[in-house]
Amino acid sequence: MATDQTYKKKVESAINNPKLSEALHLFGDAYLTSRENAFQGRLDFEAMRKDLAEIKDDVRIRRKELLAEFIKNAEAAGSTVFIAKDTQEANEYVINLAKKKNAKLIAKSKSMVSEEAHFNAALEAEGIKTSETDLGEWIIQLAGQRPSHMVMPAIHMFKEEVAELFSKETGQQLSPDIKSLVNVAREQLRKGYFDADIGLTGANFLVADTGGIGLVTNEGNARLCATLPEVHVVFSGIHKLVRSMEDAVKITRLLPRNATGQLLTSYITWIRGAVPTDGKAKEQHIVLIDGGREALYESKACRDALRCIQCGACANVCPVYQTVGGHVFGSTYISAIGVILTAFYEGLDKAKEITRACIGCRSCSAVCPSNIDLEEIILHLRTQVTQEYGMGMIKNVAFKAVMKNRGLFHSMIRAASKLQRPVTHKNAVDGERPIIRHLPMHFMDRDFTEWRDLPSVAEKSFRDQFKGIVQNVKNSRYKVGFFVGCGADFVYPEVGTSLIKVLNALDVEVVFPQKQNCCGIPALYSGDTETGVDLARQNVEAFTEAEVDYILCVCPTCTMGVKRDFVKRLADSPDWSAKARALSEKTMDASDFLENVLHASEKLTGFKPQGTVTYHDSCHLKRGNKVFKEPRALLNAGGYSVEEMKNSDRCCGFGGTYSFLSHPQISKQITTDKVQTIKAVNSKTVAMDCPGCMIMLKGAMGKADPNVRCAHTIELMAEALDGKE
Amino acid sequence: MTPNTHLSCFVEAARRVGTEVTQVDSLQDAAAYIAEKTSGIALVPETVLADKHDLKTLLGAAGVDVYEGDFRKAGHVPNAGITFSNFAMADTGTVVLESTMENIRLATTLPEIHFVLVDPKTILEDNLSAVKPMTEMHKGSEPRFVAYITGPSRTADIERVLTIGCHGPRELHILLVEGISSDLMEI
């Protein structure tokens, strides 16, 4: 797929604006700390988010009945409810109402669905003025922009820019002092609440059993909008429905904590019906907007996205968002949830670039308070994008023509190991394999080797080395099948040989089914399900024949592939899926197996002190397989002393083909962050459990500080064993 | 948690978000405290508890400039608003005001300073224990406006810098006074 040129330009200009990225990084770091503090104590985030997911799923199933209940109760309390099939109908409703009331000014508090509706433009076109009263929204209204974050719409702007906008608006020369700028907004907007004929708010909840709405805010503008004008319009997506006050209260326990690290926002306002206003009953209109939500509810693969409570956390932790900001990585809604909502509310075409911009680190899925597997849904959409728009020539040839054909794939790699000789160089770290410092093709150099070395393909792959390895296991406790994965097979076979050494030392015998092939994730992440299914079959066949007790991977992405994806990919055929399920149950990441099945950190003792290592948590190991304590336990037992780096579980920037083909520039920035955190730890070794991260970090550290070694935990354990002997 | 730990938890949580919390012996003392902090007109809604405790008289006697008249005509930014509360929540330091009476809304949204009189007996453990009284308040089909207030108005919309006093009151003072009312439905 040819990358859209305007999109590419947007990426470039965002990358050339390090000030924004810097601000988003500072914010991301501060966010993690305050969120952690907010959940401290007796709150169990995992239990709370599962509970919320159940609530939202029940609401989805019973939505028709609950919506009817909400409407009945709201109307009984004097509200007028209108269901708009799309945002245009919603705008028209308010335009007609405004005309009927002869309204000149609408004071608005924050409503994302009104952004979705381009509400302000639609109303202004009819001569009705709208005034955003949320500080961030007002800033971007004055700037003529769109929000770049769901909770902090103007997060991309700096105080100097705000001062300039406010100066223009007030006709005074204002200094960029935040406190006084906030004061200017307070003074400027106050009159508007009194003058406005209509106050418009969003809604965080539509409570079915009371017929009321709930608003979660900090500034106090929503309360003013809902109080002073004679007419109150509530603009809300239909997915804000909850069953009861109890459901809503449960959400208030998660939303502020996960959004801003607050235990509760300054104001939560519960409004039902036509409350008294200036001696009369207020006119309250609730506009409930579908706008693509019903279609999203009906999509089995994507519907969990409507569990979203709009906390914005998926952006806060996203390395791509932190690199390019919400104006690039999103549309009306930004970051991970934005990718999905854009596809449904604005169309797949509008989302095709951003579905590919996700690096697949799963940070969003881990932080989501509604337990939405955002990354999984984005992958699904990427498949649709690929089906509709293709995935580009390179990937077509690589996946469909080469990888599916195991013989061809492997002989091409053998050939590559010879062909690369003219461009490889000796590695600065002794004993490490040669690297590629520069590629001869100048046009590729910028994205490929300017900022990182590329690994050379191993002289002899693991699959070719295996037959020559002698295993001395007398009383074998287990027979394990080794799923090597492409990285360890062709680039770092020493990880595989190390694994055999460590397992043999614990009386475990290793078998290697030669018919195994790539796990298929690279193809799948590019949206090529067909190749994914084919590869799953090849591997399931190879490992079923091998009859092993466990299947071990040294690459957590492969672990996810074998454990989770094969079952899904082969779900259509009962025979294949039964086999895949049987394998899935036996599949583990190597560190997980060593620690939790073999209890290696207790069994293996008497190591010499090995010095300090710092540990990088690979995305798919920690968030994909929930393994992070195990490698640390192993390393500490092996005589290493693990010193933690900052944000050890932030993505290294690899993302497979992401760093080579789709978004090398974004990758580069994310890797630069990681390199900095590594350098801040005084350790000459970085341990990790993923060959993908090894490719990225060995390459980047090679350019940044060649004396720092990047190694797989299993390699370090094998070396510790060698030292013992 | 015992009522006593609720109280200390409430005070700590409220102070953490910038609320001034003071325990006083009587409503007279509360009135004196308020008089000292105000420098302009004060909106005092005539709620059930305000009438029961003759709040306006107490405040007036202490020297507070209690506004008489239509709250909507008290200017865009009156100096103070003085209210009771229905109940409070210890874990978050929140006060809950059943504000369907418009004057309660005006007295708590417009002024620079909001003073809330809270009976410590009405402090609940957390917001889950508030579900019951919240549901109770929403029985029937009358219009309702219930406000949870946790600290002063705040924003972080410019460069993520926490700034107090965006659109709502810049200061929130909670005065803990025994014997106001232990009925969570009363304000």
Side-chain angles (χ1 to χ4, degrees), chain A residues 91-119:
Chain A
N91 287 346
E92 277 162 12
Y93 181 87
V94 184
I95 290 167
N96 288 337
L97 176 71
K99 284 184 175 164
K100 210 165 83 192
K101 299 272 152 200
N102 200 21
K104 302 273 178 295
L105 175 67
I106 299 182
K108 276 183 73 193
S109 70
K110 200 160 168 339
S111 153
M112 282 307 294
V113 69
S114 79
E115 291 288 345
E116 199 182 313
H118 303 275
F119 178 86

Side-chain angles (χ1 to χ4, degrees), chain B residues 56-133:
Chain B
K56 280 166 79 167
T57 314
L58 287 176
L59 289 165
V64 177
D65 182 4
V66 177
Y67 180 79
E68 297 292 344
D70 183 352
F71 283 11
R72 283 179 171 261
K73 301 206 165 65
H76 287 173
V77 192
N79 183 249
I82 304 158
T83 67
F84 287 93
S85 67
N86 292 75
F87 59 90
M89 303 185 295
D91 65 336
T92 53
T94 304
V95 287
V96 178
L97 282 74
E98 202 275 277
S99 318
T100 311
M101 175 196 273
E102 191 188 29
N103 276 353
I104 302 179
R105 279 179 275 143
L106 296 171
T108 57
T109 54
L110 295 172
E112 290 284 284
I113 317 172
H114 178 200
F115 298 91
V116 194
L117 303 159
V118 177
D119 187 325
K121 282 206 175 63
T122 63
I123 301 174
L124 307 175
E125 183 176 350
D126 56 21
N127 47 7
L128 284 180
S129 24
V131 171
K132 209 176 143 210

Side-chain angles (χ1 to χ4, degrees), chain A residues 133 186 190 219 253 276, chain B residues 105 127 144 153 159 167-168:
Chain A
T133 60
R186 180 184 176 90
R190 180 59 64 100
E219 295 183 356
R253 290 164 71 80
Chain B
R105 279 179 275 143
N127 47 7
R144 279 284 171 272
S153 156
E159 294 194 4
H167 295 293

